Amino acid sequence: MNQIQHVAIIMDGNGRWGLKKRKSRNFGHKIGLKTVEKVLKQTIKKKIKYLTLFAFSTENWKRPQKEVNFLFKLLENFLLDKLSEFHKNGIKLKIIGKKRFSNQLNRILNNAEKKTKKNKKLQVNLALNYGSKSELIYAFNKLKFKKKAINEKIISSNLFTKNIPDPDLLIRTGNTHRLSNFLLWQLAYAEIFFEKKLWPDFNENDYNKILLKFKKIKRNFGNI
Ligand code: IPE
Ligand code: IPE
Ligand code: MG
């Protein structure tokens, strides 16, 4: 049985879910947070050490300003509301992506990282303003000044995910089969699960089923 150290999730389908319920896309984002809480609890229960959640991509800035503003306000309130609980439960929060938000949100994010940095139970990497290509470009630009040969280890240790093992599995909800510029380097050998359900409908049971399936996969890593 495969061990699971790191799960990565593309939480997709909030907008469609909100519209399907005859409400707004933003309503879908709001209800999507309930799934985040469910998945966090379950991940701790399963003793998984790392969870990376794709919350906002570098491409998501193209969305209408109103939706973008709503998403960041939602995140702000979510953190203000839940941070103590996360801290109590041993969650360490880390932001991956460039922190280019309002001063207020930057402050909240920095504070959340600082407050939880010694926690050991589960590290949650929140991908915010994250894009894999820009992450790689940033790393290569840093490395070009060092007159050293580039190798795999050096690249890995210059990404936002430095010191974090690569995800063992990737889950994408929302019935869309693409990576959308998420962890392109880190997912090189991940097992990928595309889930038909929209993110707000995804639950513990769906998550457990995927984890169980993953455990039984024969992972070759090029070998036989
Ligand atoms: C949530 O899903 C992911 C975010 C970018 C916040 P979407 O907002 O992409 O929902 P759909 O795919 O349009 O339904
Ligand atoms: C990926 O979802 C980004 C997040 C889940 C945050 P999108 O809904 O933005 O992806 P595309 O644009 O459909 O590929
Ligand atoms: Mg989407």
Side-chain angles (χ1 to χ4, degrees), residues 9-10 20 32 46-47 49 57 73-75 98 105 109 111 116 165 182 186 213 215:
I9 306 184
I10 302 178
K20 216 176 83 183
K46 295 288 173 193
K47 301 195 164 62
K49 288 287 166 200
S57 74
K73 200 72 207 162
L74 194 67
L75 173 67
K98 291 205 186 96
L105 182 56
L109 296 173
N111 169 54
T116 61
F182 189 47
Q186 298 88 333
K213 253 195 210 159
K215 286 190 176 172

Side-chain angles (χ1 to χ4, degrees), residues 66-206:
K66 243 177 106 178
E67 179 165 337
V68 171
N69 291 346
F70 183 86
L71 279 168
F72 287 118
K73 200 72 207 162
L74 194 67
L75 173 67
E76 214 175 284
N77 291 335
F78 184 66
L79 285 177
L80 289 174
D81 190 29
K82 301 284 174 189
L83 185 64
S84 323
E85 188 186 323
F86 293 162
H87 185 47
K88 246 193 278 157
N89 288 325
I91 292 177
K92 170 178 173 174
L93 188 76
K94 183 181 162 59
I95 306 303
I96 62 169
K98 291 205 186 96
K99 285 200 206 88
R100 299 225 171 113
F101 312 110
S102 67
N103 289 341
Q104 172 155 314
L105 182 56
N106 284 337
R107 218 176 312 117
I108 291 170
L109 296 173
N110 287 332
N111 169 54
E113 286 184 307
K114 205 167 138 202
K115 182 176 165 125
T116 61
K117 77 171 183 222
K118 293 202 175 120
N119 290 342
K120 295 257 160 358
K121 209 162 236 164
L122 168 67
Q123 175 165 337
V124 175
N125 307 308
L126 193 61
L128 268 186
N129 186 23
Y130 174 85
S132 193
K133 288 193 174 177
S134 92
E135 177 185 39
L136 286 164
I137 290 165
Y138 182 65
F140 298 153
N141 273 317
K142 266 198 291 180
L143 290 172
K144 76 178 176 199
F145 297 109
K146 301 185 181 157
K147 292 187 185 94
K148 246 172 131 185
I150 289 179
N151 59 35
E152 215 176 285
K153 220 170 130 192
I154 291 175
I155 292 178
S156 291
S157 64
N158 278 280
L159 301 176
F160 291 119
T161 49
K162 107 181 199 199
N163 298 329
I164 300 170
D166 285 343
D168 299 296
L169 66 153
L170 169 74
I171 302 170
R172 179 172 188 144
T173 59
N175 202 20
T176 302
H177 300 187
R178 54 179 174 250
L179 293 178
S180 302
N181 199 14
F182 189 47
L183 302 174
L184 301 179
W185 172 272
Q186 298 88 333
L187 291 173
Y189 254 111
E191 305 297 332
I192 302 183
F193 294 83
F194 293 112
E195 164 68 47
K196 282 203 173 75
K197 282 191 181 179
L198 306 172
W199 180 247
D201 286 331
F202 189 68
N203 61 34
E204 292 92 341
N205 199 20
D206 303 316

Side-chain angles (χ1 to χ4, degrees), residues 10-12 54-57 60 63 172 178 180:
I10 302 178
M11 310 183 287
D12 195 22
F54 203 5
F56 194 88
S57 74
N60 287 146
R63 295 186 178 201
R172 179 172 188 144
R178 54 179 174 250
S180 302

